[in-house]
Amino acid sequence: MTRIFSGVKPTGHLTLGNYLGAVRQWAEVDQHRADALFCVVDLHALTVDHDPGRVRRLSQQAATLLLACGLDPELSTVFVQSHVDEHARLSYLLECVATDGEMRRMIQYKEKSVRERERGGSVRLSLLTYPVLMAADILAYGADEVPVGEDQTQHVELTRDLAVRFNQRYGHTFAVPRATPPAVAARVMDLQDPASKMGKSHDNGAGIIYLLDEPDVARKKIMRAVTDSGTDVEYDREAKPGVSNLLEILAACEGGNPQALSGVYESYGALKKAAAEAVVELLKPVQKRHKELVEDPAYVEEVLRRGAERARDKAKPTVDAAYRAIGLLPPA
């Protein structure tokens, strides 16, 4: 059976981009067709300066939202990364296979290290090496597919390279995964800056729809979205990035195609109103279920405990095999 692994990082509140670009497909498609593991990758949140209490709160919220979005613990394995030691165990072995040059070529490292220096902070070593931890997340489970957005495909390519290199040097140990980006709205952009991804950790949230935004808040953000010169409502990512982003959001909410919506709306205002209502309707059941789960924290805790147990059982044989293959003595 095909095995899938993917995760969300608790560095901010989950957004409409996270949902349309990843989580909805996990819930509606992936968990029904494969042995699927979905993880709150909390160790990745430690690569920059952070508040420990906030990381814990956001990790709990992310796990709760994954369940609210439709992940079923009877169909898929939902867990927290730091609850399964095999992630960190394998990460070090892969650091012994990866190269410094590979790490420094990662686009996200280049971008995030620049921002960190601009803020006057120091760049943590973990920011450089976290793609190896991401590779360990994937390879520990023998994942065949990794549903990711466009910005993460480079990391999956690194994972493939490390798996092949390890297998060639030390004997076949890892499955070689492939990235599987969603067909529509794989990269939802910021409403105020349609050249940038709708990221959950941005300082300014005016262009970000959070999954827990109240309906009026979501509507206002969309009605204030940046558009483009001219008046034609056409899908053209290069010439009309703002309008195209709204068309992608609307199409993804309704299960349609953004190109097919070109010319349907007579004005930018009409498009914004339609997109706003579609987003509000999309988020209603998620927010309702989230409220129910918040009132039953013991259930969420039990889901994560059982998920970690299942994940550990799946990962340990592969990681133990990697330890043997690379030349480490088994424990007495």
Side-chain angles (χ1 to χ4, degrees):
M1 189 177 188
T2 299
R3 180 168 289 176
I4 291 174
F5 176 91
S6 200
V8 295
K9 186 163 58 175
T11 51
H13 303 287
L14 294 190
T15 72
L16 180 68
N18 296 129
Y19 183 60
L20 292 180
V23 179
R24 183 171 66 171
Q25 177 172 301
W26 300 352
E28 295 182 356
V29 179
D30 293 336
Q31 68 176 347
H32 298 282
R33 69 176 181 86
D35 178 10
L37 299 101
F38 300 113
C39 180
V40 178
V41 287
D42 54 343
L43 294 175
H44 289 289
L46 311 184
T47 59
V48 295
D49 190 33
H50 63 277
D51 172 63
R54 185 170 187 267
V55 170
R56 281 190 290 270
R57 290 192 300 273
L58 288 175
S59 297
Q60 181 72 22
Q61 184 188 85
T64 305
L65 275 169
L66 290 181
L67 298 175
C69 289
L71 292 189
D72 184 342
E74 300 303 319
L75 296 175
S76 60
T77 302
V78 182
F79 66 105
V80 175
Q81 179 190 31
S82 63
H83 294 176
V84 181
D85 293 343
E86 278 62 35
H87 292 257
R89 288 181 63 210
L90 182 55
S91 182
Y92 180 73
L93 296 195
L94 296 179
E95 284 186 13
C96 298
V97 177
T99 68
D100 176 74
E102 286 174 317
M103 296 301 97
R104 296 187 186 280
R105 285 194 294 271
M106 292 292 107
I107 294 171
Q108 289 207 358
Y109 170 72
K110 293 178 180 179
E111 294 176 348
K112 291 181 179 180
S113 61
V114 168
R115 288 201 297 268
E116 194 66 25
R117 291 188 183 100
E118 287 176 347
R119 285 198 291 259
S122 57
V123 179
R124 300 185 181 193
L125 180 61
S126 57
L127 184 61
L128 178 66
T129 60
Y130 92 89
V132 177
L133 176 58
M134 181 176 173
D137 297 338
I138 298 164
L139 296 180
Y141 297 102
D144 303 294
E145 298 181 10
V146 188
V148 291
E150 294 173 7
D151 60 321
Q152 293 292 334
T153 54
Q154 186 187 35
H155 291 155
V156 180
E157 288 304 311
L158 173 69
T159 301
R160 290 171 56 85
D161 291 342
L162 295 180
V164 170
R165 191 177 307 154
F166 192 103
N167 290 346
Q168 290 174 342
R169 290 180 181 176
Y170 307 114
H172 185 79
T173 307
F174 299 118
V176 180
R178 63 184 182 275
T180 54
V184 178
R187 192 174 171 90
V188 178
M189 311 307 279
D190 190 290
L191 296 171
Q192 291 298 315
D193 179 14
S196 300
K197 187 182 76 165
M198 187 180 284
K200 57 183 175 294
S201 54
H202 288 186
D203 294 330
N204 181 3
I208 304 170
I209 304 294
Y210 297 106
L211 294 188
L212 297 179
D213 274 347
E214 293 290 335
D216 286 346
V217 172
R219 286 191 186 95
K220 286 179 182 177
K221 288 180 178 179
I222 294 174
M223 295 306 294
R224 293 172 180 171
V226 168
T227 49
D228 312 290
S229 58
T231 58
D232 293 337
V233 180
E234 297 176 345
Y235 184 78
D236 185 334
R237 267 293 184 189
E238 296 298 321
K240 290 181 173 287
V243 169
S244 297
N245 188 39
L246 290 170
L247 287 170
E248 282 214 18
I249 290 171
L250 177 58
C253 286
E254 297 180 342
N257 186 302
Q259 288 94 340
L261 294 173
S262 290
V264 171
Y265 296 93
E266 296 181 355
S267 66
Y268 292 167
L271 170 62
K272 288 180 175 181
K273 184 175 180 181
E277 292 310 312
V279 168
V280 168
E281 288 303 311
L282 182 76
L283 296 185
K284 273 184 181 178
V286 174
Q287 294 177 353
K288 180 176 182 292
R289 180 58 178 151
H290 177 267
K291 183 178 179 181
E292 293 170 353
L293 291 168
V294 167
E295 294 172 354
D296 190 6
Y299 170 75
V300 177
E301 182 179 331
E302 178 62 14
V303 167
L304 296 179
R305 186 191 65 77
R306 288 190 287 111
E309 286 181 354
R310 287 206 302 269
R312 197 175 301 115
D313 289 343
K314 294 175 188 289
K316 193 174 186 303
T318 299
V319 176
D320 286 349
Y323 268 63
R324 290 192 301 271
I326 207 169
L328 299 177
L329 284 172

